[in-house]
Coordinates of all heavy atoms in Angstrom, one line a residue:
L88 N -1.2 9.9 11.9 CA 0.2 9.4 11.6 C 0.7 10.2 10.4 O -0.1 10.6 9.5 CB 0.2 7.9 11.3 CG 0.0 7.0 12.5 CD1 -0.2 5.5 12.0 CD2 1.2 7.1 13.4
A118 N 8.0 -1.8 6.8 CA 7.7 -2.9 7.7 C 8.1 -4.3 7.2 O 8.2 -5.2 7.9 CB 6.3 -2.9 8.2
T121 N 11.7 -4.0 8.5 CA 11.8 -3.7 10.0 C 10.4 -3.9 10.5 O 9.6 -2.9 10.5 CB 12.4 -2.3 10.3 OG1 13.6 -2.2 9.6 CG2 12.5 -2.1 11.8
P122 N 9.9 -5.0 10.9 CA 8.5 -5.2 11.3 C 8.1 -4.5 12.6 O 9.0 -4.1 13.4 CB 8.4 -6.7 11.5 CG 9.8 -7.2 11.8 CD 10.7 -6.3 11.0
I123 N 6.8 -4.3 12.7 CA 6.3 -3.7 13.9 C 6.4 -4.7 15.0 O 6.1 -5.9 14.9 CB 4.8 -3.4 13.7 CG1 4.6 -2.3 12.6 CG2 4.1 -3.0 15.0 CD1 3.2 -2.1 12.1
T124 N 6.9 -4.3 16.2 CA 7.1 -5.2 17.3 C 6.5 -4.6 18.6 O 6.2 -5.4 19.5 CB 8.6 -5.5 17.6 OG1 9.2 -4.2 17.8 CG2 9.2 -6.2 16.4
R125 N 6.2 -3.3 18.7 CA 5.8 -2.7 19.9 C 4.3 -2.7 20.0 O 3.6 -2.3 19.1 CB 6.4 -1.4 20.1 CG 7.9 -1.4 20.2 CD 8.5 0.0 20.4 NE 8.2 0.5 21.7 CZ 8.9 0.3 22.8 NH1 9.9 -0.5 22.8 NH2 8.5 0.8 23.9
R126 N 3.8 -2.9 21.2 CA 2.3 -3.0 21.5 C 1.6 -1.7 21.2 O 0.4 -1.8 20.7 CB 2.1 -3.4 23.0 CG 0.6 -3.4 23.4 CD 0.4 -4.0 24.7 NE 0.6 -5.4 24.8 CZ 0.4 -6.1 25.8 NH1 -0.1 -5.6 26.9 NH2 0.6 -7.4 25.8
E127 N 2.2 -0.5 21.4 CA 1.5 0.7 21.2 C 1.1 0.9 19.7 O 0.2 1.7 19.4 CB 2.3 1.9 21.6 CG 3.7 2.0 21.1 CD 4.7 1.4 22.0 OE1 4.4 0.4 22.7 OE2 5.8 2.0 22.1
S128 N 1.7 0.1 18.8 CA 1.3 0.2 17.4 C -0.1 -0.3 17.1 O -0.7 0.0 16.1 CB 2.3 -0.5 16.5 OG 3.6 0.1 16.6
V129 N -0.5 -1.2 18.0 CA -1.9 -1.7 17.8 C -2.9 -0.6 17.9 O -3.7 -0.4 17.0 CB -2.2 -2.8 18.9 CG1 -3.6 -3.3 18.8 CG2 -1.2 -4.0 18.8
A130 N -2.8 0.2 19.0 CA -3.7 1.3 19.1 C -3.5 2.4 18.0 O -4.4 3.0 17.5 CB -3.6 1.9 20.5
G131 N -2.2 2.5 17.7 CA -1.8 3.5 16.6 C -2.5 3.2 15.3 O -3.0 4.1 14.6
L132 N -2.4 1.9 14.9 CA -3.1 1.6 13.6 C -4.6 1.7 13.7 O -5.2 2.2 12.8 CB -2.7 0.1 13.3 CG -3.3 -0.5 12.0 CD1 -2.8 0.3 10.8 CD2 -3.0 -1.9 11.8
A133 N -5.1 1.3 14.8 CA -6.6 1.4 15.0 C -7.0 2.9 15.0 O -8.0 3.2 14.3 CB -7.0 0.8 16.3
E134 N -6.3 3.7 15.6 CA -6.6 5.2 15.6 C -6.5 5.8 14.2 O -7.4 6.5 13.8 CB -5.7 5.9 16.6 CG -6.0 7.4 16.7 CD -5.0 8.1 17.5 OE1 -4.0 7.5 18.0 OE2 -5.2 9.4 17.8
F135 N -5.5 5.4 13.5 CA -5.3 5.9 12.1 C -6.5 5.5 11.2 O -7.1 6.3 10.5 CB -4.0 5.3 11.5 CG -3.9 5.7 10.1 CD1 -3.3 6.9 9.7 CD2 -4.3 4.8 9.1 CE1 -3.2 7.3 8.4 CE2 -4.1 5.2 7.7 CZ -3.6 6.4 7.4
L136 N -6.9 4.2 11.3 CA -8.0 3.7 10.4 C -9.3 4.3 10.9 O -10.2 4.6 10.0 CB -8.0 2.2 10.4 CG -6.9 1.6 9.6 CD1 -7.0 0.0 9.7 CD2 -6.8 2.0 8.2
L204 N -2.8 -1.5 2.3 CA -2.1 -1.6 3.5 C -1.4 -3.0 3.6 O -2.0 -4.0 3.9 CB -3.0 -1.4 4.8 CG -3.4 0.0 5.0 CD1 -4.5 0.0 6.1 CD2 -2.3 0.9 5.3
H205 N -0.1 -3.0 3.3 CA 0.8 -4.1 3.5 C 2.1 -3.7 3.9 O 2.4 -2.4 4.0 CB 0.8 -5.0 2.2 CG 1.4 -4.3 1.0 ND1 2.8 -4.0 0.9 CD2 0.9 -3.7 -0.1 CE1 3.1 -3.4 -0.3 NE2 1.9 -3.2 -0.9
P206 N 3.0 -4.6 4.3 CA 4.2 -4.1 5.0 C 5.1 -3.1 4.3 O 5.8 -2.3 4.9 CB 5.0 -5.4 5.3 CG 3.9 -6.5 5.4 CD 2.9 -6.0 4.4
V209 N 3.9 0.8 5.0 CA 3.9 1.4 6.3 C 5.4 1.5 6.7 O 6.2 0.7 6.3 CB 3.0 0.7 7.3 CG1 1.6 0.6 6.8 CG2 3.6 -0.7 7.7
V211 N 8.3 2.1 10.0 CA 8.5 1.7 11.4 C 9.8 2.4 11.9 O 10.8 2.4 11.2 CB 8.6 0.2 11.5 CG1 8.9 -0.2 13.0 CG2 7.4 -0.5 11.0
G214 N 10.6 -0.3 16.2 CA 9.5 -1.3 16.4 C 8.1 -0.7 16.4 O 7.2 -1.5 16.5
T215 N 8.0 0.6 16.3 CA 6.7 1.3 16.4 C 6.3 1.8 15.0 O 7.0 2.4 14.3 CB 6.8 2.4 17.4 OG1 7.2 1.9 18.6 CG2 5.4 3.1 17.5
L216 N 5.0 1.6 14.7 CA 4.4 2.2 13.5 C 4.6 3.7 13.5 O 4.1 4.3 14.4 CB 2.9 1.8 13.4 CG 2.1 2.4 12.2 CD1 2.6 1.8 10.9 CD2 0.6 2.1 12.4
S217 N 5.2 4.2 12.5 CA 5.5 5.7 12.5 C 5.0 6.4 11.3 O 5.1 7.6 11.3 CB 7.1 5.9 12.6 OG 7.7 5.3 11.4
I219 N 2.3 6.0 7.4 CA 1.6 5.3 6.4 C 1.9 6.0 5.0 O 1.8 7.2 4.9 CB 0.0 5.3 6.6 CG1 -0.3 4.9 8.0 CG2 -0.6 4.4 5.6 CD1 -0.1 3.4 8.3
D233 N -9.3 -2.5 4.4 CA -8.3 -1.9 5.3 C -8.1 -2.7 6.6 O -7.0 -2.8 7.1 CB -8.5 -0.5 5.6 CG -8.1 0.5 4.5 OD1 -7.6 0.0 3.5 OD2 -8.4 1.7 4.6
L234 N -9.2 -3.2 7.1 CA -9.1 -3.8 8.4 C -8.3 -5.1 8.4 O -7.9 -5.7 9.4 CB -10.6 -4.1 9.0 CG -11.4 -2.9 9.3 CD1 -12.8 -3.3 9.7 CD2 -10.7 -2.0 10.4
S235 N -8.1 -5.6 7.2 CA -7.2 -6.8 7.0 C -5.8 -6.5 7.5 O -5.1 -7.5 7.8 CB -7.1 -7.2 5.5 OG -6.6 -6.1 4.8
A236 N -5.5 -5.3 7.7 CA -4.1 -4.9 8.2 C -3.9 -5.4 9.5 O -2.7 -5.6 10.0 CB -4.0 -3.4 8.1
A237 N -4.9 -5.7 10.3 CA -4.7 -6.3 11.7 C -3.9 -7.6 11.6 O -3.1 -7.8 12.5 CB -6.1 -6.5 12.3
W238 N -4.2 -8.4 10.6 CA -3.5 -9.6 10.5 C -2.2 -9.5 9.7 O -1.2 -10.2 9.9 CB -4.3 -10.7 9.8 CG -5.5 -11.1 10.5 CD1 -5.6 -12.2 11.4 CD2 -6.8 -10.5 10.5 NE1 -6.9 -12.3 11.9 CE2 -7.7 -11.3 11.4 CE3 -7.4 -9.5 9.8 CZ2 -9.0 -11.0 11.6 CZ3 -8.7 -9.2 10.0 CH2 -9.5 -9.9 10.9
I239 N -2.1 -8.5 8.8 CA -1.0 -8.3 7.9 C 0.2 -7.6 8.6 O 1.3 -8.0 8.3 CB -1.4 -7.6 6.6 CG1 -2.5 -8.3 5.9 CG2 -0.2 -7.3 5.7 CD1 -3.2 -7.5 4.8
L240 N -0.1 -6.6 9.4 CA 0.9 -5.7 9.9 C 1.3 -6.0 11.4 O 2.4 -5.7 11.8 CB 0.4 -4.3 9.8 CG 0.2 -3.8 8.4 CD1 -0.3 -2.3 8.4 CD2 1.5 -3.9 7.5
L241 N 0.3 -6.4 12.2 CA 0.6 -6.4 13.7 C 1.4 -7.6 14.0 O 1.4 -8.7 13.3 CB -0.8 -6.3 14.4 CG -1.5 -5.0 14.2 CD1 -2.8 -5.0 14.9 CD2 -0.6 -3.8 14.6
P242 N 2.0 -7.6 15.2 CA 3.1 -8.6 15.5 C 2.6 -10.0 15.9 O 3.3 -10.9 16.0 CB 3.9 -8.0 16.6 CG 3.0 -7.0 17.2 CD 2.1 -6.5 16.1
S243 N 1.3 -10.1 16.2 CA 0.8 -11.4 16.7 C -0.7 -11.5 16.5 O -1.4 -10.6 16.3 CB 1.1 -11.6 18.2 OG 0.3 -10.7 19.0
A244 N -1.2 -12.8 16.6 CA -2.6 -13.0 16.5 C -3.3 -12.4 17.7 O -4.5 -11.9 17.6 CB -2.9 -14.5 16.5
A245 N -2.7 -12.3 18.9 CA -3.3 -11.7 20.0 C -3.6 -10.2 19.8 O -4.5 -9.6 20.3 CB -2.4 -11.9 21.3
A246 N -2.7 -9.6 19.0 CA -2.9 -8.2 18.7 C -4.1 -7.9 17.9 O -4.6 -6.7 17.9 CB -1.6 -7.6 18.0
V247 N -4.6 -8.9 17.2 CA -5.8 -8.7 16.3 C -7.0 -8.3 17.2 O -7.7 -7.3 16.9 CB -6.0 -9.9 15.4 CG1 -7.3 -9.7 14.7 CG2 -4.9 -10.2 14.5
G248 N -7.2 -9.0 18.2 CA -8.4 -8.7 19.1 C -8.2 -7.4 19.7 O -9.2 -6.6 19.9
Q249 N -7.0 -7.1 20.2 CA -6.7 -5.8 20.8 C -7.0 -4.6 19.8 O -7.5 -3.6 20.1 CB -5.3 -5.7 21.2 CG -4.9 -6.7 22.3 CD -3.5 -6.9 22.5 OE1 -2.6 -6.1 22.0 NE2 -3.1 -7.9 23.3
F250 N -6.6 -4.9 18.5 CA -6.8 -3.9 17.4 C -8.3 -3.6 17.3 O -8.7 -2.4 17.3 CB -6.3 -4.4 16.1 CG -6.8 -3.6 14.9 CD1 -6.1 -2.4 14.5 CD2 -7.9 -4.0 14.2 CE1 -6.6 -1.7 13.5 CE2 -8.3 -3.3 13.1 CZ -7.7 -2.1 12.7
F251 N -9.2 -4.6 17.2 CA -10.6 -4.4 17.0 C -11.2 -3.7 18.3 O -12.1 -2.9 18.2 CB -11.3 -5.7 16.6 CG -11.1 -6.0 15.2 CD1 -10.2 -7.0 14.8 CD2 -11.8 -5.3 14.2 CE1 -10.0 -7.3 13.5 CE2 -11.6 -5.6 12.8 CZ -10.7 -6.6 12.5
D252 N -10.7 -4.1 19.5 CA -11.2 -3.4 20.7 C -10.9 -1.9 20.6 O -11.7 -1.0 21.0 CB -10.5 -4.0 21.9 CG -11.0 -5.4 22.2 OD1 -12.1 -5.7 21.7 OD2 -10.3 -6.1 23.0
S253 N -9.7 -1.5 20.1 CA -9.3 -0.1 19.9 C -10.0 0.6 18.8 O -10.4 1.8 18.9 CB -7.8 0.0 19.7 OG -7.1 -0.5 20.8
Y254 N -10.3 -0.1 17.7 CA -10.9 0.5 16.5 C -12.3 0.8 16.8 O -12.8 1.9 16.4 CB -10.8 -0.5 15.4 CG -11.5 0.0 14.1 CD1 -10.8 0.9 13.2 CD2 -12.8 -0.4 13.8 CE1 -11.4 1.3 12.1 CE2 -13.4 0.1 12.6 CZ -12.7 0.9 11.8 OH -13.3 1.3 10.6
A269 N -7.2 -10.4 4.2 CA -5.9 -10.7 4.7 C -5.3 -11.9 4.0 O -4.1 -11.9 3.6 CB -5.9 -10.9 6.2
L276 N 1.5 -11.4 -1.5 CA 2.8 -11.1 -0.9 C 3.7 -12.4 -1.1 O 4.9 -12.2 -1.4 CB 2.7 -10.9 0.6 CG 2.1 -9.5 1.0 CD1 1.8 -9.5 2.5 CD2 3.0 -8.4 0.6
P296 N 8.1 -13.9 3.5 CA 7.9 -14.2 4.9 C 6.7 -13.4 5.5 O 6.0 -13.9 6.4 CB 9.2 -13.8 5.5 CG 10.0 -13.0 4.6 CD 9.5 -13.4 3.2
A297 N 6.5 -12.1 5.0 CA 5.4 -11.3 5.5 C 4.1 -12.0 5.2 O 3.1 -12.0 6.0 CB 5.5 -9.9 5.0
Y299 N 3.5 -15.3 4.7 CA 3.3 -16.5 5.5 C 3.0 -16.1 7.0 O 2.1 -16.8 7.6 CB 4.5 -17.4 5.5 CG 4.6 -18.3 4.2 CD1 5.6 -18.1 3.2 CD2 3.6 -19.2 4.0 CE1 5.6 -18.8 2.1 CE2 3.6 -20.0 2.8 CZ 4.6 -19.8 1.9 OH 4.6 -20.6 0.7
L300 N 3.6 -15.1 7.5 CA 3.2 -14.6 8.8 C 1.8 -14.2 8.9 O 1.1 -14.5 9.9 CB 4.2 -13.5 9.3 CG 5.6 -13.9 9.7 CD1 6.4 -12.6 9.9 CD2 5.6 -14.7 11.0
T301 N 1.3 -13.6 7.9 CA -0.1 -13.2 7.8 C -1.0 -14.4 7.9 O -2.0 -14.5 8.7 CB -0.4 -12.4 6.5 OG1 0.3 -11.2 6.5 CG2 -1.9 -12.1 6.4
L302 N -0.7 -15.5 7.2 CA -1.5 -16.7 7.2 C -1.5 -17.3 8.6 O -2.5 -17.8 9.1 CB -1.0 -17.7 6.1 CG -1.2 -17.2 4.7 CD1 -0.7 -18.4 3.8 CD2 -2.6 -16.8 4.3
D303 N -0.3 -17.3 9.2 CA -0.1 -17.9 10.5 C -1.0 -17.2 11.5 O -1.7 -17.8 12.4 CB 1.3 -17.8 11.0 CG 2.3 -18.7 10.2 OD1 1.8 -19.6 9.5 OD2 3.5 -18.5 10.3
R304 N -1.0 -15.8 11.4 CA -1.9 -15.0 12.4 C -3.3 -15.3 12.2 O -4.1 -15.4 13.1 CB -1.5 -13.6 12.2 CG -0.2 -13.2 12.6 CD 0.1 -11.7 12.4 NE 1.5 -11.4 12.4 CZ 2.2 -10.8 11.4 NH1 1.5 -10.5 10.3 NH2 3.5 -10.6 11.5
V305 N -3.8 -15.4 10.9 CA -5.2 -15.7 10.6 C -5.6 -17.0 11.2 O -6.6 -17.1 11.9 CB -5.4 -15.7 9.1 CG1 -6.8 -16.3 8.8 CG2 -5.3 -14.3 8.5
E308 N -5.5 -16.8 15.2 CA -6.6 -15.9 15.7 C -7.9 -16.6 15.7 O -8.7 -16.5 16.6 CB -6.6 -14.6 14.9 CG -7.7 -13.6 15.4 CD -9.0 -13.7 14.6 OE1 -8.9 -14.2 13.4 OE2 -10.0 -13.4 15.2

Side-chain angles (χ1 to χ4, degrees):
L88 287 171
T121 305
I123 295 169
T124 58
R125 298 182 65 86
R126 174 172 291 187
E127 53 263 39
S128 295
V129 176
L132 179 63
E134 181 184 7
F135 175 85
L136 288 179
L204 287 173
H205 63 75
V209 304
V211 178
T215 301
L216 176 66
S217 60
I219 309 290
D233 280 355
L234 295 175
S235 63
W238 292 270
I239 298 169
L240 298 178
L241 296 179
S243 68
V247 173
Q249 298 165 12
F250 165 85
F251 282 103
D252 288 342
S253 295
Y254 177 84
L276 290 168
Y299 280 115
L300 283 172
T301 298
L302 297 183
D303 291 346
R304 292 179 199 122
V305 168
E308 180 268 331

